Amino acid sequence: MSLNKFMHPRNVYRKPPDFKALAIKYPEFRKYAKQEISGKVSIDFKNKESLRALTSTLLKEDFGLDVEIPLNRLIPTLPLRLNYLLWIEDILAANRKTSDIIRGIDIGCGASCVYPLLAAKHFQWQMLGTEVDEESVLIASNNVTRNGLSDRITIQKTPERTMLDGVLEADTVYDFCVCNPPFFSSEEELEPQNVARSPSRPPPRNAMTGASWELVTPGGEVAFVESIIQDSLKLKDKVRVYSVMLGHKTSVGKILAALKKPEVQKVTSYKFCQGRTTRWGIAWTLTPSVTLPAVKQQPLQKPKSLPFSHMFDTDMKQTLEVLRQLMVKLQITYSVRKNNDEMCGMEITALANTWTNSRRKRREEKRKQAVSKSENNNTELKPEDSQSVGPEVCENERDEIEEKVQIDVCDKVSENGSPKSEEVERNPDLVTENETARVGTKRTCDEDAKCSNNPKRVKVENSKAASKTEPYFIGLLLIEQKSFGTEMELSWIRGSGGRDSAHQLLQYFKNNIKCYE
């Protein structure tokens, strides 16, 4: 689900950029732009060069900044960075200015130097950017000089694990600090499947960028931010508002707990929503006169399920043809909602799970059919056998037709002890012309019914009763023609199988459609 509508109200990226217009205007971006059959222009977000081209182009188009971004360093996403700075602007606006100049600090500005550049160019703030990597310091300094912002931005190299203490000028009070810390505690956490809350959770859509020290730090982001908190307790009101951005929701509670100190005057938090990503901001102050406004944000109303997706090399027509065959095979019904040359959307329903362990199920069904056929050939009772069947004999029979029909029949018993033959009423909509109800010397009953010499009782579980049972899976299936293949998206709406059933079904389609490619 796109979170653009939950962005900061003043964020220019609440309305997505026009990739087509950017591709026409900027040749460097046009190299990575792809036009689909529908005319829509997109890029490959899993390609680092595409991401760099997008960020560089947006910085130039929207802010007039010419920025060098190396591929072996973090490639910033502008909507997120702008959300953060707009939140800081709101906090500053809620407090009385102590000077005409707003001064801020970026802890770990990186090679792109995106926070200081945006703050200086867009907000007219004075910025100090710190960085531990020598090469990143050099590139960041060149970016500042290239954009003529040397009078507003200072880049300073600091020792490793140095946050604020020992960095700030002795006679200067800073209005705020920002920090985008390394999120992870080990390189193993860089693999999405190692940190995903659910094995069915889809992988990130964007390529992961950044050098190891920009992504990983001992103890993760919690330990990193705790170091900043310790520095703030020493520096006190040297920085009026301390702030950080967190990448994991689980870290928010830990940082708020670490800020429960007598010296900390106020604490506030904020949720940064953009694209399909959510981050969390926390700000605190040790200055009694500073106000930290609590921003009331619109609550996120997430859908029941994000879609699972897969790209096939076949065209849409061929994919649909194979897909329909597979759904018939799986006894899945579907209702087409939208169908044209570029897209097909349908609602699909499965009463039972027919796609997991399908081979084993087919083998078991064949064995059952063989056993049933063998029993049917030997179960016709001879007239002389009827004396051996007493009124207490009871057996369950189930006839598989278009729907399952349960029949509980307790026959009257004649004086000599043999059951009296009677015709059984069947649902005429469910019984075929060639099918006849079988009532012999055996009596059939429901498992929960008590057999007695009562008159015949018929219980039919017809389609109305069956409809009360919740289907195993109901979902939305979207097949869309792309310039490089066909994309399939499957979303779970409801059903007893849960969201994992959508992932399993898409996996089944993926494995079986590949056989036809």
Side-chain angles (χ1 to χ4, degrees):
M1 178 185 70
S2 176
L3 302 176
N4 286 2
K5 64 180 180 180
F6 300 108
M7 279 189 190
H8 192 284
R10 298 194 302 278
N11 197 318
V12 296
Y13 299 114
R14 281 172 68 92
K15 181 181 179 182
D18 186 345
F19 284 3
K20 187 174 183 178
L22 292 175
I24 294 172
K25 186 174 181 180
Y26 297 98
E28 183 62 29
F29 181 73
R30 189 161 60 243
K31 293 179 184 178
Y32 305 99
K34 299 179 181 178
Q35 187 168 18
E36 301 173 2
I37 296 176
S38 61
K40 179 182 177 182
V41 176
S42 63
I43 64 169
D44 182 5
F45 285 91
K46 290 191 177 296
N47 184 319
K48 292 183 180 181
E49 294 183 353
S50 298
L51 291 179
R52 178 174 66 175
L54 175 60
T55 299
S56 299
T57 302
L58 291 178
L59 283 168
K60 191 173 296 184
E61 172 70 12
D62 298 324
F63 303 101
L65 292 168
D66 181 14
V67 181
E68 176 192 355
I69 305 174
L71 283 177
N72 60 350
R73 296 294 187 270
L74 192 67
I75 300 175
T77 53
L78 288 189
L80 173 59
R81 271 63 181 182
L82 193 55
N83 265 348
Y84 193 174
L85 291 178
L86 288 169
W87 177 52
I88 294 296
E89 185 182 39
D90 290 341
I91 293 176
L92 297 177
N95 292 274
R96 183 176 56 85
K97 289 185 178 181
T98 57
S99 170
D100 292 335
I101 300 174
I102 301 296
R103 292 182 174 84
I105 311 159
D106 179 17
I107 303 173
C109 64
S112 65
C113 193
V114 65
Y115 282 121
L117 288 172
L118 285 175
K121 183 78 173 184
H122 190 64
F123 298 96
Q124 312 301 313
W125 297 339
Q126 298 276 352
M127 293 296 295
L128 167 63
T130 68
E131 178 56 48
V132 299
D133 176 57
E134 187 70 46
E135 182 180 350
S136 296
V137 168
L138 179 61
I139 297 173
S141 300
N142 290 337
N143 281 328
V144 172
T145 304
R146 183 185 296 110
N147 289 281
L149 295 171
S150 299
D151 58 331
R152 297 182 189 168
I153 301 173
T154 302
I155 305 299
Q156 182 175 336
K157 185 178 184 311
T158 57
E160 191 173 349
R161 302 295 296 176
T162 297
M163 306 302 170
L164 294 169
D165 192 20
V167 175
L168 309 185
E169 296 179 8
D171 56 346
T172 303
V173 174
Y174 295 86
D175 294 281
F176 69 93
C177 77
V178 294
C179 179
N180 182 16
F183 293 154
F184 305 102
S185 61
S186 65
E187 292 189 359
E188 288 74 18
E189 291 184 2
L190 297 178
E191 297 297 329
Q193 65 270 18
N194 294 335
V195 294
R197 294 189 296 271
S198 169
S200 62
R201 190 176 187 181
R205 297 198 172 196
N206 287 14
M208 182 171 288
T209 65
S212 59
W213 61 86
E214 294 178 298
L215 304 174
V216 178
T217 186
E221 61 183 358
V222 172
F224 194 96
V225 174
E226 285 176 345
S227 299
I228 299 177
I229 294 174
Q230 292 302 316
D231 278 6
S232 71
L233 297 177
K234 297 178 184 177
L235 297 171
K236 299 185 185 302
D237 55 1
K238 283 284 291 179
V239 180
R240 302 181 72 212
V241 178
Y242 300 87
S243 75
V244 294
M245 182 178 70
L246 301 174
H248 302 297
K249 188 176 181 180
T250 54
S251 302
V252 175
K254 298 175 183 177
I255 297 304
L256 291 177
L259 285 169
K260 291 182 178 179
K261 310 284 186 184
E263 301 91 335
V264 177
Q265 300 294 319
K266 300 179 187 69
V267 179
T268 189
S269 62
Y270 190 82
K271 188 178 292 185
F272 305 123
C273 302
Q274 52 281 313
R276 295 178 181 270
T277 304
T278 302
R279 296 289 182 256
W280 294 267
I282 295 181
W284 67 98
T285 182
L286 283 79
T287 306
S289 61
V290 170
T291 299
L292 297 181
V295 180
K296 186 176 181 180
Q297 294 179 274
Q298 183 179 355
L300 299 182
Q301 297 178 350
K302 292 187 178 181
K304 291 183 178 179
S305 171
L306 293 176
F308 298 98
S309 62
H310 182 73
M311 185 67 66
F312 297 94
D313 295 332
T314 55
D315 61 13
M316 190 179 83
K317 185 177 180 181
Q318 183 181 357
T319 304
L320 274 174
E321 182 180 348
V322 177
L323 185 63
R324 289 191 176 101
Q325 296 175 15
L326 293 175
M327 288 196 291
V328 170
K329 182 180 178 182
L330 295 174
Q331 299 177 354
I332 293 176
T333 59
Y334 61 91
S335 173
V336 177
R337 298 297 182 85
K338 184 176 182 180
N339 190 15
N340 53 43
D341 294 336
E342 301 170 1
M343 179 189 300
C344 179
M346 60 183 75
E347 181 178 304
I348 64 176
T349 303
L351 298 178
N353 182 357
T354 55
W355 50 88
T356 58
N357 301 320
S358 54
R359 288 186 179 180
R360 178 175 59 81
K361 289 177 180 178
R362 287 197 299 269
R363 289 196 299 267
E364 289 178 355
E365 185 63 28
K366 287 181 179 180
R367 282 197 293 267
K368 286 181 181 179
Q369 291 176 358
V371 171
S372 177
K373 185 176 180 180
S374 175
E375 289 179 350
N376 288 338
N377 293 334
N378 299 311
T379 53
E380 293 185 4
L381 293 177
K382 298 178 182 179
E384 58 271 18
D385 293 335
S386 62
Q387 299 295 331
S388 63
V389 181
E392 63 276 6
V393 176
C394 174
E395 182 179 305
N396 291 317
E397 277 187 26
R398 293 187 181 177
D399 296 335
E400 289 186 4
I401 51 178
E402 292 181 5
E403 289 187 56
K404 292 185 179 179
V405 180
Q406 280 190 339
I407 303 176
D408 178 14
V409 179
C410 292
D411 294 327
K412 294 180 181 178
V413 180
S414 61
E415 294 179 357
N416 60 3
S418 51
K420 197 174 181 180
S421 233
E422 291 185 47
E423 291 188 1
V424 180
E425 290 183 16
R426 301 293 296 274
N427 188 332
D429 295 331
L430 300 178
V431 181
T432 62
E433 294 180 359
N434 298 327
E435 184 183 7
T436 58
R438 296 188 300 274
V439 179
T441 56
K442 297 182 180 179
R443 294 180 301 157
T444 61
C445 72
D446 185 75
E447 292 178 357
D448 296 328
K450 294 182 179 179
C451 296
S452 63
N453 293 337
N454 292 333
K456 177 183 67 178
R457 298 191 305 266
V458 180
K459 293 183 181 178
V460 179
E461 187 180 347
N462 56 23
S463 58
K464 291 183 180 179
S467 65
K468 295 179 181 179
T469 304
E470 184 182 17
Y472 182 79
F473 175 81
I474 297 178
L476 288 177
L477 183 61
L478 180 65
I479 300 95
E480 189 174 2
Q481 181 68 60
K482 302 287 186 179
S483 58
F484 40 87
T486 302
E487 184 179 28
M488 179 185 294
E489 285 191 353
L490 182 61
S491 302
W492 175 80
I493 299 177
R494 63 181 183 275
S496 59
R499 186 171 182 266
D500 287 346
S501 59
H503 181 254
Q504 295 164 358
L505 180 55
L506 183 66
Q507 195 68 28
Y508 178 92
F509 289 150
K510 172 184 172 183
N511 294 337
N512 285 271
I513 290 177
K514 277 187 175 181
C515 299
Y516 293 87
E517 293 181 0

